Amino acid sequence: MNYSINSEIAKIFNHMAFILEGLNVLFKPRAYAQAAEAILAWNKDVEEIYKSEGLTGLKQIPSIGQNLAEHIEEIIKTGRLKEYEKLKKKLPVDIEGLSAIEGLGPKKMKILYDKLKIKTVADLAKAIATHKIAKLEHFGAQSETNIQRGLKFLKTNTGRIPLGYILPLAREIEQKLSKTPGVKKVIIAGSIRRWQETIGDIDILAISDQPKKIMEAFVSLPEIQTILSHGPTRSSVRLKIGLDADLRAVAPKSFGAALQYFTGDKNHNVKIREIAIKKGLKLNEYGLWRKEKNIACQTEEKIYAALGLDYIEPELRTDSGEIFAAQKHQLPRLIPHGSLKGDLQIQTNWTDGECTIEALARAAMEAGLEYIAITDHTKTLGIAHGLDEKQLAKQGQKIDALNVKFIKEKINFKILKSAEININKDGSLDIADAALKKLDIMSVAIHSAFRLSKNEQTKRIIRAIEHSLVNILFHPTGRLINRREPYELDLEAIIKAAAANRVALELDCFPDRMDLKDTYVRQVIARGVKIAIDTDAHHPEHFKFLELGIGTARRGWAAKNDVINTWPIKKLLKWARK
Ligand code: DGT
Ligand code: CA
Ligand code: CA
Ligand code: ZN
């Protein structure tokens, strides 16, 4: 897959959304932003789709209608988009750079450009230093402080890429390489093998009798922009998407040692080597040695065993207690991949999703699930056309009818009535209890007033958790990787409230959410609080994100029973009724 054309088009559409919003145009920004997201989440190359199926093919992508399909056609054919260039003249700023700053939306950026000619992050920093922003209309001192805080965050933002956006490409490269002559095995190592939420580069390890051949194949991949180094057993390249990839080829006999070394992480490896040294051994990427004698090297299991350790799964290799636990035979039995029976957060075309309830249900069946909960937004979330009590009741009838249909078709699948109920600023819910009681399972989330003080935000969320009917708190910290910091929260207090009220916390596995993140998962389950791993699917394609959630849950030491949607539906519903 030539991933770069997809991300290039997505970038253009995102910029257009941004500028249009800055110009106060209604509706259009959302259409462009949704299209960009859909193209990024689409795992096929739009250029290939276009070449084989033309505009009709492009329109299969969610959110892409005639007009946007023609835009894509123009970009593929000419490398540019006239409408975009026209728009750019109206707001010729470094959108990428500036929009990464929290607290600085398109409308503000338009004012900053019109009044102060601010085009870049550097211009902005200068204006803040001289307090020019506080004096502007619509801004004020608070706003200046917020932007300043956003600037600070930007500096620590390393530009790592969410795993979910890169995994399809990494697997594609893995696939291609595994077909070259002489190759015995190809495996992705590094942070990807550890299922880290963001990754810095792609590390690939191969066993081959003819290492030169695989190196040759690697440096000639069409996904590559430049070759950084090309040797007989190791090469490095920069991919078109702006990320590097490393390939190492090793002999079969040292595969385990090499895999252990290149999986990392660095801290874990340092500790493991110290343990070897204490035993009078030496561990390197070729094996475990006593003087010149090789003790273990073929598999990772043998290496860990020779060091007196239980096997440590890659997700746990972070040097945060896993080595001690491996010595004491106290490692958790991690939730296995493929063990989810349901998905408890899904949005349909009743609100901001792409598809009908039935289409999503059928996609969930394909993904191997036995149940889903439909969680459209509720009424105070105007931007997503949230549902009110009446519409929820109507949706409930539709769901009942679908469930009857599935029974008639002898399909073992159930749709649960639910909602992503909006938490008001004061912690109350925006749907009346009488309507809530008709739902099978009830989830809440905040979508506004992100900037309350830590104390107020925590109180607000706890009030929602204490509501007698609530079962799950969705995306508990609200962060968006590379885009938005989490809200200020006392997570310990939230966990305590969740434990006291038997409320589960969600691990939302949309690639740039991953919220709860790994370390929080560990904190949460250590307190006996359950988690729910959900996709937040807005489209059938999104069920593929479930594996990311499992990866992160494993990094958080979660076992199967810590996750409520591994349970059979009966057990889940019994739990939900408290
Ligand atoms: P990333 O790429 O930033 O997402 O994270 P990693 O963990 O994939 O790091 P990377 O690509 O620099 O290196 C891959 C693995 O190779 C790493 O996890 C452990 C091993 N490694 C790399 N450099 C060193 C080193 O200086 N010492 C040791 N012990 N191991 C290293
Ligand atoms: Ca890496
Ligand atoms: Ca690397
Ligand atoms: Zn939504």
Side-chain angles (χ1 to χ4, degrees):
M1 174 183 66
N2 177 357
Y3 193 91
S4 71
I5 185 84
N6 287 29
S7 43
E8 201 176 298
I9 292 170
K11 192 160 125 186
I12 291 176
F13 285 177
N14 269 325
H15 284 191
M16 292 174 81
F18 196 90
I19 298 171
L20 288 164
E21 202 176 331
L23 300 173
N24 275 315
V25 176
L26 293 177
F27 308 119
K28 265 189 166 181
R30 204 173 152 66
Y32 278 105
Q34 272 182 341
E37 196 178 316
I39 291 169
L40 272 183
W42 194 246
N43 59 7
K44 286 180 220 123
D45 184 327
V46 290
E47 194 164 358
E48 274 167 27
I49 303 171
Y50 175 69
K51 280 191 182 138
S52 59
E53 295 168 64
L55 288 173
T56 321
L58 293 177
K59 283 192 272 182
Q60 285 166 17
I61 305 172
S63 300
I64 304 294
Q66 181 66 23
N67 182 34
L68 288 169
E70 282 171 14
H71 280 0
I72 296 174
E73 177 179 50
E74 189 183 333
I75 297 168
I76 290 172
K77 279 189 170 159
T78 69
R80 50 196 282 251
L81 182 61
K82 283 204 193 104
E83 197 171 321
Y84 172 47
E85 319 231 306
K86 249 196 282 173
L87 277 174
K88 259 204 302 203
K89 292 200 180 112
K90 299 194 176 153
L91 188 59
V93 303
D94 170 16
I95 295 178
E96 209 77 351
L98 287 166
S99 62
I101 297 169
E102 214 210 327
L104 191 57
K107 297 199 174 89
K108 284 195 169 153
M109 224 185 277
K110 175 85 173 116
I111 299 173
L112 291 175
Y113 173 69
D114 288 345
K115 304 271 178 199
L116 301 175
K117 289 277 163 274
I118 290 175
K119 282 184 167 181
T120 64
V121 176
D123 295 343
L124 182 71
K126 237 192 294 173
I128 283 182
T130 48
H131 294 296
K132 281 196 179 135
I133 291 177
K135 288 178 210 131
L136 284 180
E137 209 181 329
H138 305 300
F139 279 79
Q142 184 57 44
S143 187
E144 187 172 281
T145 314
N146 287 340
I147 294 174
Q148 195 168 13
R149 194 168 0 122
L151 261 176
K152 238 192 254 156
F153 176 61
L154 188 69
K155 285 196 189 130
T156 62
N157 182 349
T158 52
R160 299 170 61 81
I161 301 187
L163 173 62
Y165 293 145
I166 235 53
L167 202 51
L169 174 66
R171 285 178 177 156
E172 183 130 340
I173 294 176
E174 182 187 28
Q175 273 302 311
K176 284 185 184 169
L177 293 178
S178 62
K179 286 184 193 128
T180 51
V183 168
K184 296 232 160 62
K185 196 178 174 76
V186 177
I187 187 166
I188 301 171
S191 47
I192 299 183
R193 183 162 183 246
R194 304 194 312 273
W195 291 87
Q196 207 167 295
E197 64 187 27
T198 62
I199 64 145
D201 72 355
I202 302 175
D203 302 287
I204 303 170
L205 193 67
I207 307 184
S208 178
D209 296 333
Q210 305 172 53
K212 273 190 188 148
K213 285 239 167 81
I214 193 169
M215 292 298 148
E216 208 46 63
F218 182 60
V219 299
S220 356
L221 287 169
E223 289 85 355
I224 281 169
Q225 181 147 50
T226 39
I227 300 170
L228 303 173
S229 67
H230 179 188
T233 59
R234 61 197 300 175
S235 301
S236 264
V237 299
R238 166 121 340 128
L239 301 168
K240 284 178 187 157
I241 54 164
L243 193 76
D244 294 351
D246 296 334
L247 174 67
R248 280 286 290 252
V250 297
K253 66 172 173 15
S254 56
F255 184 68
L259 185 58
Q260 199 283 327
Y261 181 92
F262 288 109
T263 296
D265 71 7
K266 225 178 256 181
N267 295 334
H268 173 88
N269 283 359
V270 167
K271 281 277 165 68
I272 294 290
R273 260 172 293 154
E274 281 171 11
I275 291 177
I277 289 166
K278 273 191 204 132
K279 290 184 184 295
L281 306 171
K282 185 177 171 217
L283 178 64
N284 59 23
E285 58 211 277
Y286 305 103
L288 181 65
W289 311 84
R290 173 168 286 127
K291 297 262 162 58
E292 303 299 304
K293 188 172 174 280
N294 187 299
I295 305 215
C297 57
Q298 247 165 348
T299 66
E300 288 186 316
E301 284 80 358
K302 283 185 183 158
I303 292 168
Y304 282 104
L307 294 171
L309 300 170
D310 289 346
Y311 176 69
I312 301 175
E313 301 276 0
E315 294 91 331
L316 298 181
R317 300 181 196 169
T318 54
D319 184 26
S320 48
E322 76 279 8
I323 296 171
F324 181 76
Q327 283 166 335
K328 303 271 176 230
H329 313 295
Q330 285 168 353
L331 283 171
R333 182 185 286 227
L334 300 180
I335 171 176
H337 275 278
S339 55
L340 296 177
K341 289 191 164 54
D343 185 344
L344 301 174
Q345 189 189 163
I346 285 160
Q347 270 100 67
T348 73
N349 61 359
W350 285 62
T351 58
D352 64 349
E354 302 278 346
C355 295
T356 61
I357 301 172
E358 180 165 3
L360 286 157
R362 301 225 179 248
M365 293 171 203
E366 290 270 299
L369 299 179
E370 294 170 14
Y371 56 86
I372 54 171
I374 298 299
T375 57
D376 277 304
H377 292 286
T378 52
K379 63 187 176 195
T380 46
L381 200 64
I383 174 171
H385 314 291
L387 308 183
D388 63 15
E389 285 83 351
K390 260 196 188 149
Q391 291 166 305
L392 271 177
K394 220 172 125 198
Q395 188 181 59
Q397 289 169 1
K398 175 85 198 168
I399 291 174
D400 287 339
L402 280 169
N403 281 329
V404 169
K405 187 170 166 187
F406 294 153
I407 290 170
K408 278 192 190 145
E409 291 179 28
K410 298 198 165 44
I411 297 172
N412 175 29
F413 189 88
K414 182 132 198 241
I415 308 175
L416 300 176
K417 286 171 246 178
S418 186
E420 179 172 2
I421 301 150
N422 207 8
I423 303 176
N424 296 322
K425 194 170 170 184
D426 65 358
S428 60
L429 304 183
D430 73 342
I431 295 291
D433 282 5
L436 294 181
K437 282 185 184 140
K438 303 221 166 83
L439 302 178
D440 296 313
I441 182 159
M442 223 173 349
S443 299
V444 295
I446 71 174
H447 296 99
S448 60
F450 293 146
R451 278 169 207 282
L452 292 182
S453 70
K454 184 170 179 174
N455 190 18
E456 283 174 305
Q457 196 70 279
T458 305
K459 265 203 209 146
R460 173 195 191 190
I461 295 175
I462 289 180
R463 184 171 166 203
I465 288 175
E466 286 173 344
H467 187 293
S468 63
L469 298 169
V470 168
N471 301 119
I472 308 174
L473 173 66
F474 280 168
H475 41 76
T477 74
R479 64 99 179 243
L480 295 173
I481 294 172
N482 290 346
R483 287 198 283 145
R484 187 171 77 203
E485 283 186 89
Y487 3 99
E488 304 262 359
L489 272 188
D490 179 349
L491 189 66
E492 269 300 318
I494 303 245
I495 295 172
K496 232 187 233 165
N501 293 279
R502 291 212 317 131
V503 164
L505 302 183
E506 185 188 52
L507 194 180
D508 180 319
C509 46
F510 214 82
D512 63 355
R513 281 198 182 268
M514 299 313 285
D515 179 11
L516 299 167
K517 66 175 177 182
D518 49 12
T519 50
Y520 290 165
V521 169
R522 193 166 166 193
Q523 209 174 325
V524 164
I525 61 167
R527 298 278 187 287
V529 170
K530 301 290 176 197
I531 63 168
I533 300 178
D534 304 329
T535 55
D536 201 347
H538 286 57
H539 185 273
E541 281 279 314
H542 294 161
F543 290 111
K544 68 174 190 243
F545 297 146
L546 282 171
E547 62 174 349
L548 304 172
I550 295 191
T552 294
R554 288 166 63 87
R555 289 177 61 83
W557 294 49
K560 193 170 165 186
N561 194 42
D562 293 319
V563 182
I564 59 173
N565 48 325
T566 62
W567 295 346
I569 190 160
K570 261 197 188 147
K571 180 171 175 185
L572 177 78
L573 288 176
K574 197 170 157 212
W575 172 87
R577 280 189 297 268
K578 299 200 169 178

